[in-house]
Amino acid sequence: LLNDGCAYTGKQLKFDDPTKRQGKIPPAINASLDHIMPKSWGGPCEDYNYILSSQGSNSARGNIDLVSFLKGNDDTKRF
């Protein structure tokens, strides 16, 4: 999965093992699981609701709906 890259930027990702707390990988290429439907909106923690993204992109998206984020809008309307 890491070879497919970030769903938003396409950059190849690396995994920074959080149990080692090394923090040496920059957020732009550190692998992160992003909820398609935000957890704060009741999105499930199930495989079908995740996409692989960089930590930086995941943070930038926050809980903006996916389509608005992909269009570059900071629209917080719910689905």
Side-chain angles (χ1 to χ4, degrees):
L1 286 175
L2 294 177
N3 291 334
D4 290 340
C6 174
Y8 303 123
T9 66
K11 290 183 181 178
Q12 190 171 6
L13 300 171
K14 296 183 179 185
F15 178 70
D16 192 3
D17 186 346
T19 62
K20 295 181 181 176
R21 303 227 183 259
Q22 293 177 358
K24 294 180 181 178
I25 299 174
I29 60 170
N30 189 21
S32 173
L33 288 176
D34 190 10
H35 288 84
I36 296 168
M37 180 176 187
K39 189 176 175 183
S40 63
W41 295 1
C45 292
E46 299 290 339
D47 291 348
Y48 63 84
N49 193 40
Y50 290 119
I51 54 177
L52 189 62
S53 70
S54 70
Q55 179 185 13
S57 294
N58 190 349
S59 294
R61 179 176 170 213
N63 69 347
I64 300 168
D65 87 75
L66 181 61
V67 174
S68 293
F69 182 71
L70 292 174
K71 288 181 177 180
N73 299 330
D74 187 3
D75 184 4
T76 56
K77 289 186 217 172
R78 296 184 179 211
F79 293 88

